[in-house]
């Protein structure tokens, strides 16, 4: 009797545990959508296409419901990795983009030589100064009557340089000459030697070069250009290695959340660099604009110390990680020892790969035009002071950060309810991130010298590009999850060419020609790039894993092709 009672109680307990597991499974489905199946990479050591034969090294699958086996409450080691990585991306962005606002303070005077006056029909004088409405005259915008030259030029004790628009374009673009050379190298180095040393190397060099920048600029323009070139070379190693780091420390079904947290650091860095940089340039501390390089570079050195002490390559090598978290991450994440050869020929024959590449180029053209030239436009055309210039230049990227987070939340809910397919999400995201900025840039042609309208329209144009985090920047993982880092390095290298082409082109258009007409040409050119590249992307993009991604898929396709050939030959 006691035995039967014991068996009955044990059966009820087991049934209750099963019911609790089912409830947890439903909660996970609500959070991540259904299906929740993901592929865990267990790649072998083979070269060429990967693996040593005998089964697919990528065939191990798990589901998000496995997370119920490990629900670590509180702060985990992986959270430290993600947080410190995000901080690194912020500092990387700050040292990268700070020159966009600093160069306004470094240049002795804007080279708008013989201005064409705007006609009285286009000029409306208000109580607070002069503002032009519309772009009718096509000339220069008059400075507000209550603003002095010193207000527009900031702290007059700062050292200045005689750089015309073409020289400024070359200086701003030098970074990207170096950057395009090391993106692929950074990804492959991280896969071969580990992501931690590659990230540390890139960040340390970047920080030291930032500290060296004021001295380089004072010695020689060419020396300063060389420092910016080396800065691009160093930072090009980092982002592909960051992608590799996240693959090791973040489970597949958590990547959307944590990747957004990490990569949004780039926008936060722009906001901080433009706002803090603009304020520092207006002060006498450390000489004004040199303080920007010293402060950001010094912060980067401190970060490198923390990265070296707190971060380890894998959960398996971390001495202080909890055993449960370690088992959880090792069961779900990619091993950093995986070394796979990239099937380059098949990649280059893939149309979705080229759709991503073209879209990445178009997106970066508009992005770098905004981030490099917006402070110059606000200073030379709208006559904002350096302090307000920094804050206003940062505003669009603050809006972009907010919009990106809200848009991703909306998309997550829509996909979880089955209202949108993955392919639809990618297309909608890039339509928003390309066609709406194109429309806003057309609107800029009608703004003329209305400074308020210029800030509003430009902020909207940059802000809506935040949806690209749910489109273009997910497509690499869609078509090739096992080679997403390398493919990102390839497309980003090609896209970053626009980093020196776009500022150079803008410099040529506006050289000795700081007029409404010249800047309208810049806006319309960016509009055309947005429309053409986005249309190409929408037509050819796919959300399906491509055949080159898995050795087994490639083998099956080859066998099918061989079988079709044999069947045709047989009588």
């Amino acid at each position: 009797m006691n035995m039967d009672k014991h068996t009955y109680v044990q059966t009820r307990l087991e049934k209750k545990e099963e019911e609790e597991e089912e409830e947890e499974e439903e909660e996970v489905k609500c959070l991540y959508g259904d299906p929740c199946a993901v592929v865990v990479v267990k790649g072998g050591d083979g070269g060429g296409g990967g693996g040593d034969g005998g089964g697919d090294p990528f065939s191990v699958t798990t589901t998000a419901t496995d997370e119920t086996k490990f629900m670590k409450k509180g702060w985990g080691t992986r959270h430290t990795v993600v947080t410190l990585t995000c901080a690194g991306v912020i500092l990387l962005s700050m040292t990268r983009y700070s020159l966009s606002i600093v160069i306004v303070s470094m240049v002795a005077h804007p080279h708008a030589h013989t201005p064409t006056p705007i006609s009285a029909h286009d000029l409306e004088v208000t109580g607070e100064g002069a503002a032009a409405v519309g772009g009718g005259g096509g000339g220069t915008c008059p400075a507000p009557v209550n603003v002095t030259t010193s207000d527009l030029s900031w702290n007059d004790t700062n050292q200045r340089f005689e750089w015309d628009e073409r020289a400024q374009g070359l200086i701003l673009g030098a970074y990207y000459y170096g950057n395009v050379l090391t993106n692929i190298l950074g990804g492959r180095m991280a896969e071969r030697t580990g992501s931690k040393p590659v990230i540390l190397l890139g960040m340390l060099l970047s920080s030291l070069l930032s500290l060296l920048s004021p001295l380089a600029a004072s010695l020689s323009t060419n020396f300063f250009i060389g420092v910016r070139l080396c800065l691009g070379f160093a930072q090009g190693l980092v982002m592909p290695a960051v992608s590799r780091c996240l693959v090791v420390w973040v489970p597949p079904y958590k990547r959307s959340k944590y990747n957004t947290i990490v990569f949004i650091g780039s926008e936060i860095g722009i906001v901080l660099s433009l706002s803090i940089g603009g304020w520092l340039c207006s002060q006498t501390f450390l000489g004004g604009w040199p303080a920007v390089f010293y402060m950001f570079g010094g912060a980067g050195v401190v970060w490198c110390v923390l990265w070296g002490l707190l971060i380890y390559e894998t959960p398996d090598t971390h001495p202080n990680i909890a055993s449960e978290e370690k088992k959880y991450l090792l069961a779900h994440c990619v091993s950093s020892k995986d070394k796979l050869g990239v099937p380059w020929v098949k990649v280059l024959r893939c149309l979705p790969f080229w759709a991503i590449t073209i879209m990445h180029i178009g997106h970066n053209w508009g992005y770098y035009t905004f981030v490099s030239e917006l402070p110059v436009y606000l200073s030379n055309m709208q006559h904002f002071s350096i302090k307000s210039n920094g804050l206003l230049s940062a505003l669009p990227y603050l809006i972009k950060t907010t919009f990106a987070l809200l848009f991703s939340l909306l998309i997550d809910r829509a996909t979880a309810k089955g209202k949108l397919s993955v392919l639809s999400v990618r297309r909608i995201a890039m339509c928003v991130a390309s066609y709406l900025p194109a429309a806003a840039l057309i609107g800029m042609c009608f703004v003329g010298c209305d400074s308020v309208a210029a800030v509003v329209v430009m902020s909207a144009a940059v802000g809506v590009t935040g949806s690209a985090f749910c489109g273009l920047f997910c497509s690499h993982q869609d078509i090739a999850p096992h080679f997403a880092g390398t493919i990102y390095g390839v497309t980003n290298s090609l896209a970053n060419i626009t980093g020196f082409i776009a500022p150079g082109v803008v410099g040529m258009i506006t050289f000795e020609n700081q007029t409404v007409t010249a800047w309208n040409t810049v806006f319309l050119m960016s509009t055309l790039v947005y429309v053409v590249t986005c249309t190409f992307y929408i037509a050819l993009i796919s959300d399906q894993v491509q055949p080159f991604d898995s050795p087994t898929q490639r083998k099956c396709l080859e066998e099918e092709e061989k079988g079709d050939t044999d069947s045709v030959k047989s009588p």
Side-chain angles (χ1 to χ4, degrees), residues 32-34 410-422 425:
Y32 300 105
D34 196 17
L410 180 63
I411 288 296
D412 280 344
R413 293 197 175 190
T415 52
K417 294 179 179 180
K419 295 182 178 180
L420 289 174
S421 66
V422 173
V425 169

Side-chain angles (χ1 to χ4, degrees), residues 146-218:
N146 61 334
V147 177
T148 65
T149 303
S150 60
D151 292 330
L152 294 175
S153 60
W154 44 91
N155 175 20
D156 288 333
T157 63
N158 294 345
Q159 183 180 6
R160 307 289 178 76
F161 304 96
E162 295 287 343
W163 294 334
D164 59 27
E165 283 81 358
R166 285 182 292 191
Q168 293 176 50
L170 182 59
I171 292 170
L172 289 169
Y175 169 93
Y176 302 97
Y177 284 100
N179 188 265
V180 298
L181 300 176
T182 53
N183 267 261
I184 301 175
L185 177 63
R188 298 306 292 167
M189 284 176 61
E191 292 169 359
R192 298 291 178 177
T193 65
S195 56
K196 177 185 175 179
V198 177
I199 295 173
L200 181 60
L201 175 64
M203 287 294 297
L204 182 59
L205 290 175
S206 174
S207 301
L208 295 177
L209 289 167
S210 178
L211 293 172
L212 181 62
S213 293
L215 176 62
S218 63

Side-chain angles (χ1 to χ4, degrees), residues 2-18:
N2 291 335
M3 191 69 174
D4 292 341
K5 184 177 180 180
H6 176 73
T7 303
Y8 172 76
V9 172
Q10 185 176 4
T11 303
R12 290 297 301 269
L13 289 174
E14 291 176 352
K15 185 175 181 181
K16 184 176 181 180
E17 289 177 355
E18 292 177 357

Side-chain angles (χ1 to χ4, degrees), residues 3 12 29 37 77 106 123 134 141 143 152 181 190 233 285 294 313 319 380 394 462 502 511 519 530 539 545:
M3 191 69 174
R12 290 297 301 269
K29 286 184 178 181
T77 303
M106 294 175 73
L123 186 62
C141 298
L152 294 175
L181 300 176
F233 187 90
F285 176 67
Y294 294 142
E313 186 62 37
N380 293 349
V462 176
F511 176 62
W519 279 99
Y530 267 131
V545 176

Side-chain angles (χ1 to χ4, degrees), residues 85-97 175 235 239 259-274 367-368 371 397-398 400-401 469 473 488:
T85 305
C86 178
V89 173
I90 291 174
L91 289 171
L92 195 78
S93 179
M94 290 172 70
T95 56
R96 175 180 184 173
Y97 295 115
Y175 169 93
Q235 293 197 0
M239 293 311 296
N259 279 14
T260 300
I261 292 175
V262 169
F263 289 113
I264 206 69
S266 177
E267 312 307 320
I268 297 174
I270 295 176
V271 172
L272 294 177
S273 66
L274 295 178
Y367 184 81
Y368 291 138
V371 76
Y397 301 98
L398 181 60
K400 180 179 179 179
T401 301
F469 288 114
F473 295 100
Y488 179 85

Side-chain angles (χ1 to χ4, degrees), residues 95 122 143 293 295 336 416 475 491 528 568:
T95 56
D122 295 321
F293 295 108
M295 298 292 288
S336 66
S475 291
T491 64
L528 181 64
V568 171

Side-chain angles (χ1 to χ4, degrees), residues 246-319:
L246 294 177
V247 167
V248 174
W249 282 96
V250 177
Y253 47 86
K254 287 286 189 179
R255 287 176 191 164
S256 177
K257 173 182 177 181
Y258 289 121
N259 279 14
T260 300
I261 292 175
V262 169
F263 289 113
I264 206 69
S266 177
E267 312 307 320
I268 297 174
I270 295 176
V271 172
L272 294 177
S273 66
L274 295 178
S275 55
I276 297 177
W279 178 78
L280 287 173
C281 287
S282 66
Q283 308 300 310
T284 58
F285 176 67
L286 294 177
W289 62 261
V292 178
F293 295 108
Y294 294 142
M295 298 292 288
F296 294 174
V301 172
V302 173
W303 181 93
C304 289
V305 174
L306 295 176
W307 179 264
L309 294 176
L310 300 178
I311 304 301
Y312 289 80
E313 186 62 37
T314 66
D316 194 34
T317 59
H318 200 295

